[in-house]
Amino acid sequence: MTKKQILSPLKKYLLLKEVHGGNSFSLRPYQKIISMIDNGVLWLEEWSSETLLNTEGVSKNIAGILMEIVEKGTFDKLEELIDKTPAGILDLAQLKGLGPKKIMALWMDSNITTPEDLILACDDGRLAKAKGFGAKSIESLRESAIFWTENHFKEHWADAEPIAERLMAKVKEILPTASIALVGDFAMDLPEISALEMLIGSLTPISTHQQVTAHEDFTEAPKTSGPFTFRGKVAGISLPTTIHFVNQADFVAEKFKRTAMPQHLNKAGKSGQSLRMVLEEKTFENEQQIYEAAELPFIQLPMRNGTHEWEWAQQFKAEDLITTAALQGPIHNHTHYSDGMNSLQEMADYCIAKGWKYIGISDHSQTAAYANGLSTERVLAQQAEIDELNASFKDFKIFKGIESDILQQGELDYPEEILKTFDFIVASIHGNLSMDLETATNRLLRAIENPYTTMLGHPTGRLLLKRAGYPIDHQRIIDACAEHQVIIEINANPWRLDLDWQWVNYAVSKGVMISINPDAHVTTGLDDMRYGVKVAKKAGLTIKDTFNAKSREEVAAYFAERKSRIQ
């Protein structure tokens, strides 16, 4: 099981107990075990009652609950609480600014039990009459509730991937000889997936449709479906699912239509015919033939966005596009010095095993007390350990960095005598996120102008499907990074993917380097770089414009040269 699968039922139980007025003393064992699992103090490759009972700090009661979660994904005490609670209460808990006590007050005093109820109460004035809710908090809660209603049914691409694989496996089991492809948002590598879309080609599409819907796992919605389209639910698939059934001869053309934006399909070639027009004229054996028929250069997925792909094709070839294989090492990573789970040695060993040539370590800075940010003394201790490890490596290097909080006025989070000790500095905003566009932009600009800022981290602070992030003037920020030669990261954590892919081309056009950073807090988090590569490829990022596609020697020289200009 994943950490999330273990922790989620425990956290739900804590929340619901507090909503129901449970006393804090009785909840301490649960809080303790959550902390142990969260911080890596307790984690087992093979969960068993015997092992848990022999683990320090784990009581017989907690061991039993953990084994229930392992066996069935939940536990009886939690299910009893859920049965006594309106279903929307857990949804309200997803909203920023609502803790258990306020949720209980909304439920008991105003009968508000869902985000939709909350929006209505904000609009009709009821919430303004409730105790503890001022005008600003009401506005913030309303925005948060609207964001939730628009996004709660979606999945991050990374979470949609195993769901899509399950759907593919189910359909292949029913139709082992059919042509099957995932299309739509998932195939186009969009960061957020609202539904799964599949295409099936066969000689008899209507009977193939009937064959699928006859299976017990597929429940069709008759009002929205048709003879050539299934819309409905699939057992074990959490996302809404649409399946299109087409004649085998039309499979290539239909797949192409459903993996390209309308603006891309409307592009006309030398003959004056658009891609959409040639698709209507004949059948195709492959996608290359489609572009040839329209007299247009081939554009690979996922770049068929209707943005700048045609200009890109005039300058570059497919082999110029960034790939995971081209990356030489991950920058922006955390260790147990701050809020990471692994040691410097463990992070380095993981990178070496993957064939990477370096790692950048950028633990949280001192202001980030919530993340065990590094004091000056701990910075120096970490750097001494890095020096010792680097002396033991032959073809690998750890670069000394920090993820410096950008403070309220745009300052970096250490005095100059400490800032100058790092090889590089990732500057990021973590606190005081409620800013208007001008405030947020100016705060970032001041950090970018600081000569010690090497790289701008997750520029908008967004968490996809959770919070929108603070508004920024992307153009001004990118222009400033170009002027001050500051690298911008694509934070590859699937919850962030920030810088957004739609701004990458503008950044590159201004001469800004892009670094695909995993922001890893555990060794396996280093593999998140592949999600950053997906959106970078969507934007058309090339190997030459990717900072961490540079060699170890090139990165070292870049950091050294940049520091020399400050002295």
Side-chain angles (χ1 to χ4, degrees), residues 100-326:
K101 290 183 179 178
K102 281 194 173 182
I103 291 172
M104 180 168 64
L106 289 173
W107 175 18
M108 298 299 176
D109 300 340
S110 305
N111 197 30
I112 295 170
T113 61
T114 69
E116 292 83 0
D117 289 345
L118 183 62
I119 294 169
L120 289 173
C122 290
D123 291 344
D124 64 20
R126 278 181 293 140
L127 198 60
K129 298 174 184 176
K131 186 178 178 181
F133 294 94
K136 282 190 175 180
S137 66
I138 290 172
E139 182 182 356
S140 177
L141 280 173
R142 185 179 184 278
E143 289 177 0
S144 186
I146 290 172
F147 185 86
W148 182 89
T149 58
E150 292 174 346
N151 291 282
H152 74 278
F153 56 90
K154 300 178 183 177
E155 296 279 4
H156 299 101
W157 192 97
D159 291 331
E161 183 179 28
I163 301 172
E165 289 172 350
R166 285 199 296 275
L167 176 63
M168 183 67 81
K170 281 178 180 288
V171 174
K172 282 185 175 179
E173 188 176 339
I174 300 168
L175 306 168
T177 61
S179 296
I180 305 169
L182 290 161
V183 293
D185 292 355
F186 182 81
M188 295 180 70
D189 290 346
L190 290 177
E192 301 170 350
I193 308 300
S194 56
L196 287 181
E197 198 171 349
M198 176 177 275
L199 181 69
I200 297 176
S202 69
L203 297 175
T204 54
I206 292 178
S207 62
T208 302
H209 180 180
Q210 293 168 346
Q211 195 174 346
V212 170
T213 53
H215 193 279
E216 62 182 0
D217 285 351
F218 290 76
T219 303
E220 189 167 47
K223 290 184 179 180
T224 56
S225 299
F228 296 98
T229 306
F230 165 95
R231 288 188 179 89
K233 294 192 174 183
V234 184
I237 306 297
S238 56
L239 282 163
T241 302
T242 298
I243 302 175
H244 307 280
F245 299 87
V246 298
N247 283 304
Q248 182 61 47
D250 298 324
F251 182 78
V252 171
E254 285 295 322
K255 178 175 178 287
F256 186 85
K257 285 180 189 177
R258 298 183 186 280
T259 53
M261 294 298 290
Q263 300 92 322
H264 185 84
L265 294 172
N266 291 337
K267 176 68 175 178
K270 295 176 184 177
S271 66
Q273 284 189 303
S274 69
L275 286 164
R276 190 185 301 278
M277 291 167 66
V278 302
L279 287 169
E280 301 300 327
E281 290 185 345
K282 62 177 183 176
T283 60
F284 297 92
E285 294 180 7
N286 56 61
E287 292 180 342
Q288 182 69 48
Q289 292 177 354
I290 298 171
Y291 285 101
E292 288 173 356
E295 298 184 81
L296 286 167
F298 182 85
I299 304 293
Q300 61 184 303
L301 271 174
M303 285 183 63
R304 299 167 189 166
N305 306 307
T307 53
H308 65 283
E309 61 264 34
W310 307 109
E311 294 81 2
W312 188 95
Q314 291 174 3
Q315 302 176 61
F316 304 109
K317 298 177 181 177
E319 54 265 32
D320 295 322
L321 206 57
I322 188 61
T323 63
T324 52

Side-chain angles (χ1 to χ4, degrees), residues 4-152:
K4 181 180 177 181
Q5 289 170 319
I6 295 284
L7 287 175
S8 180
L10 292 170
K11 289 180 178 179
K12 281 181 185 177
Y13 180 74
L14 268 186
L15 170 77
L16 292 179
K17 282 294 283 186
E18 289 187 71
V19 168
H20 283 274
N23 71 77
S24 57
F25 182 79
S26 67
L27 301 181
R28 285 178 187 170
Y30 297 92
Q31 292 165 337
K32 179 183 175 183
I33 210 70
I34 287 171
S35 177
M36 288 173 68
I37 295 171
D38 229 352
N39 295 311
V41 176
L42 171 62
W43 190 254
L44 307 174
E45 291 300 321
E46 296 293 335
W47 292 80
S48 69
S49 298
E50 184 180 355
T51 308
L52 284 167
L53 289 171
N54 289 324
T55 301
E56 186 178 350
V58 180
S59 67
K60 184 177 180 181
N61 176 52
I62 291 294
I65 286 171
L66 289 173
M67 287 312 301
E68 276 191 80
I69 294 172
V70 169
E71 290 164 8
K72 55 188 182 183
T74 184
F75 58 103
D76 291 344
K77 286 185 176 180
L78 171 60
E79 292 304 310
E80 290 169 11
L81 266 182
I82 289 174
D83 288 342
K84 296 191 294 183
T85 309
I89 293 295
L90 287 171
D91 297 332
L92 283 174
Q94 303 299 312
L95 307 186
K96 183 182 177 184
L98 278 186
K101 290 183 179 178
K102 281 194 173 182
I103 291 172
M104 180 168 64
L106 289 173
W107 175 18
M108 298 299 176
D109 300 340
S110 305
N111 197 30
I112 295 170
T113 61
T114 69
E116 292 83 0
D117 289 345
L118 183 62
I119 294 169
L120 289 173
C122 290
D123 291 344
D124 64 20
R126 278 181 293 140
L127 198 60
K129 298 174 184 176
K131 186 178 178 181
F133 294 94
K136 282 190 175 180
S137 66
I138 290 172
E139 182 182 356
S140 177
L141 280 173
R142 185 179 184 278
E143 289 177 0
S144 186
I146 290 172
F147 185 86
W148 182 89
T149 58
E150 292 174 346
N151 291 282
H152 74 278

